[in-house]
Amino acid sequence: MADLISRDRACLWHPYTQMKTAPPPLAIARAEGVYLYTEDGRRILDGISSWWVNIHGHSHPILNQAIAEQACELEHVLFANCTHRPAVDLAEKLIALLPPGLTRVFYSDNGSTAVEVALKMAYQYWRNRGESKRRTFITLHHAYHGDTVGAMSASEDSSFTRPFEPLLFKVARAYAPYCYRCPLGLERESCEIDCLNDLERLLKEEGDNAAAVLIEPMLQGAGGMVIWPSEFLAGVRRLCNRYGTLMIADEVLTGFGRTGLMFACEHARVSPDIICLSKALTAGYMPMGATVASERIYEAFLSDDRTKTFFHGHSYTANPLGCAVALASLELFRTHGVLDRIRRLERQLKDGLEPLREHPHVGNVRVIGGVGILELVSDKATREAGGYLDRIGPELGAKFLERNLLLRPLGNVLYFMPPYVIKDEEVFRVLNEIRSVLEPWRWPV
Ligand code: PLP
């Protein structure tokens, strides 16, 4: 084990943790269900679904079998001028499940590329239609859309994007409905989703320059786990229609049940023009992305004029192993009452976290579907908090890890997002651990 860590230290470069003082990485030997097993014999509950990808548990026998069987048939083939059954079957299944009107599936290989594809698709859509002026993307404050250059441009200005600022294209940013920190200083109980006016202002200002509005529906993830009122989502669709621009929903995090419905857009019964999927698409097994567009968008590319072609493709596009495991995952949703389980989890999270509102440093408690969130503040009156780089994140993470619970707070935002297969008693255990770590804990001075 010590040998593995020193070999890791000699050759690897991990995302986000390059501090000389960083603790050694956890050496994971295997995983099963909601548990990760370390090389030195610890059993750790995966409380964040391995970065939000795992939904049916690790090493699920049905998913293992699907991938093994597919590997024996066809492990991979290029997806230019070739097709295969898993890609077609999965596309048909997705189209049937997605909000109506999304009919053309474009595969790629992760969440960032699913977003890059959506941005490029929207941009070229207007160009192909002779409206090349439509080049501006409108995104929201607190957004996170990924780490590639286009996805970073669309994301909120943050420590993730700042070093690359000169490389990024400009976007217009509208208010997000972050009710705990309302940009207009209003209270949700009495407001009329007034923050939506900011998006309308930008749509008016941009006029014929607006290419698309890109949002993370209902739950903005890495930007602080911000849960929306569904009226805001409905309003985005309404405004995109009114001002004749496209709506892109980034459901990389929210897709496949995370918010309690199969897709977050269903909370407001809206269909975006383009939807981005990844993460739980393959239940945490294979890197895969899908960008699904409406027929109207697809038709703008359908031409013998090669300047209209969408020239985008990755070596592993539509990887058959990914498609096969995604199909098996969707079948589990159908046969195992997965959405019912998420709804029960939502109630358990609400009941377990709500009492923590009384804690002197819990500023806000938020729950949606299978995600429970505590926003910690140094002072409840001023709502002050350090943000993503605040040292309380790693400090609290280390305390949970001592209790064999993997939680990875986003700075002052502590969240619990387990695989859906977590058992009731395991949920209660985690909620107890959270309460017992937080009860004596005070904001460091
Ligand atoms: N979009 C959203 C909403 C995300 O939460 C993420 C990742 O957290 C991404 C895009 C990027 O996905 P990936 O890390 O697979 O590139």
Side-chain angles (χ1 to χ4, degrees):
M1 161 89 172
D3 173 51
L4 180 64
I5 301 299
S6 66
R7 283 168 53 209
D8 172 287
R9 287 248 148 120
C11 63
L12 280 166
W13 185 332
H14 289 266
Y16 309 140
T17 40
Q18 290 110 52
M19 294 107 69
K20 286 188 176 158
T21 53
L26 281 175
I28 307 299
R30 66 183 192 90
E32 196 178 333
V34 294
Y35 293 106
L36 308 172
Y37 295 85
T38 64
E39 291 274 347
D40 58 355
R42 287 173 71 190
R43 187 179 82 148
I44 297 175
L45 193 145
D46 184 355
I48 55 165
S49 300
S50 282
W51 259 348
W52 321 344
V53 298
N54 192 291
I55 52 176
H56 306 301
H58 293 273
S59 198
H60 192 292
I62 293 177
L63 302 182
N64 292 351
Q65 190 186 342
I67 215 162
E69 282 175 4
Q70 185 57 46
C72 297
E73 290 293 324
L74 172 68
E75 83 302 339
H76 189 63
V77 64
L78 78 165
F79 208 62
N81 307 109
C82 291
T83 193
H84 48 76
R85 201 167 287 281
V88 177
D89 288 350
L90 178 60
E92 285 175 353
K93 275 258 155 58
L94 288 173
I95 290 165
L97 287 170
L98 281 164
L102 294 161
T103 54
R104 291 287 169 173
V105 178
F106 191 100
Y107 291 113
S108 63
D109 27 34
N110 58 66
S112 303
T113 57
V115 172
E116 292 284 342
V117 166
L119 295 170
K120 288 175 66 177
M121 217 176 238
Y123 186 96
Q124 194 180 344
Y125 164 77
W126 292 114
R127 195 185 148 92
N128 285 0
R129 287 183 39 146
E131 293 190 59
S132 337
K133 261 177 69 186
R134 287 197 178 269
R135 288 199 296 240
T136 305
F137 289 95
I138 302 179
T139 67
L140 299 187
H141 287 293
H142 309 288
Y144 174 80
H145 295 289
D147 286 350
T148 51
V149 171
M152 277 197 294
S153 305
S155 301
E156 174 72 295
D157 165 53
S158 73
S159 26
F160 285 53
T161 61
R162 217 154 289 138
F164 312 103
E165 210 268 331
L167 294 180
L168 307 182
F169 57 78
K170 294 240 170 310
V171 298
R173 279 200 191 93
Y175 289 153
Y178 191 171
C179 301
Y180 177 61
R181 298 181 186 278
C182 173
L184 300 169
L186 304 175
E187 294 298 329
R188 176 65 202 104
E189 293 68 39
S190 49
C191 87
E192 294 186 17
I193 317 289
D194 306 72
C195 51
L196 199 54
N197 295 337
D198 197 43
L199 177 60
E200 179 150 31
R201 175 185 65 79
L202 288 176
L203 281 165
K204 272 189 196 148
E205 245 170 62
E206 292 299 334
D208 290 347
N209 297 325
V213 176
L214 166 64
I215 52 142
E216 290 156 88
M218 296 307 291
L219 174 65
Q220 291 181 293
M225 293 290 162
V226 177
I227 298 176
W228 294 6
S230 59
E231 294 90 335
F232 186 89
L233 175 57
V236 173
R237 179 68 272 181
R238 203 169 53 242
L239 290 177
C240 288
N241 288 349
R242 188 178 300 160
Y243 292 91
T245 196
L246 300 178
M247 173 178 170
I248 306 174
D250 174 353
E251 292 227 28
V252 167
L253 159 62
T254 53
F256 307 100
R258 259 317 157 196
T259 66
L261 296 174
M262 197 62 173
F263 298 100
C265 281
E266 294 171 29
H267 285 274
R269 295 201 180 82
V270 297
S271 289
D273 300 284
I274 303 178
I275 199 165
C276 309
L277 307 172
S278 186
K279 290 203 185 272
L281 168 62
T282 62
Y285 268 67
M286 296 291 294
M288 184 165 203
T291 306
V292 189
S294 67
E295 206 62 18
R296 167 171 78 122
I297 293 181
Y298 178 68
E299 275 167 8
F301 292 83
L302 202 56
S303 166
D304 291 331
D305 172 0
R306 294 296 273 160
T307 64
K308 300 222 159 145
T309 298
F310 187 49
F311 282 110
H312 188 115
H314 297 282
S315 315
Y316 285 97
T317 289
N319 173 250
L321 302 175
C323 294
V325 76
L327 278 163
S329 166
L330 293 177
E331 190 57 12
L332 285 179
F333 270 92
R334 201 179 64 80
T335 54
H336 282 60
V338 175
L339 289 174
D340 288 341
R341 170 54 184 135
I342 302 166
R343 279 189 276 274
R344 200 168 73 250
L345 179 57
E346 182 175 47
R347 283 195 298 278
Q348 292 166 342
L349 293 174
K350 279 187 179 152
D351 292 346
L353 294 177
E354 204 51 43
L356 279 163
R357 250 182 226 282
E358 305 305 317
H359 188 285
H361 295 297
V362 173
N364 195 226
V365 179
R366 307 191 273 271
V367 174
I368 187 167
V371 194
I373 303 149
L374 299 174
E375 180 160 345
L376 305 173
V377 291
S378 60
D379 180 334
K380 272 186 154 169
T382 61
R383 302 188 178 183
E384 249 170 71
Y388 181 77
L389 292 181
D390 199 289
R391 71 189 160 113
I392 67 162
E395 273 175 22
L396 283 172
K399 283 186 198 293
F400 289 115
L401 206 48
E402 281 166 20
R403 294 163 180 251
N404 289 329
L405 171 59
L406 179 62
L407 295 180
R408 211 167 166 278
L410 298 158
N412 64 311
V413 178
L414 172 64
Y415 68 93
F416 174 42
M417 192 194 297
Y420 308 147
V421 287
I422 190 166
K423 297 192 183 81
D424 292 352
E425 57 271 26
E426 290 163 335
V427 176
F428 302 139
R429 197 209 111 200
V430 171
L431 292 169
N432 274 336
E433 298 288 15
I434 293 177
R435 280 191 294 265
S436 65
V437 165
L438 285 187
E439 254 152 36
W441 178 79
R442 291 296 173 268
W443 197 277
V445 278

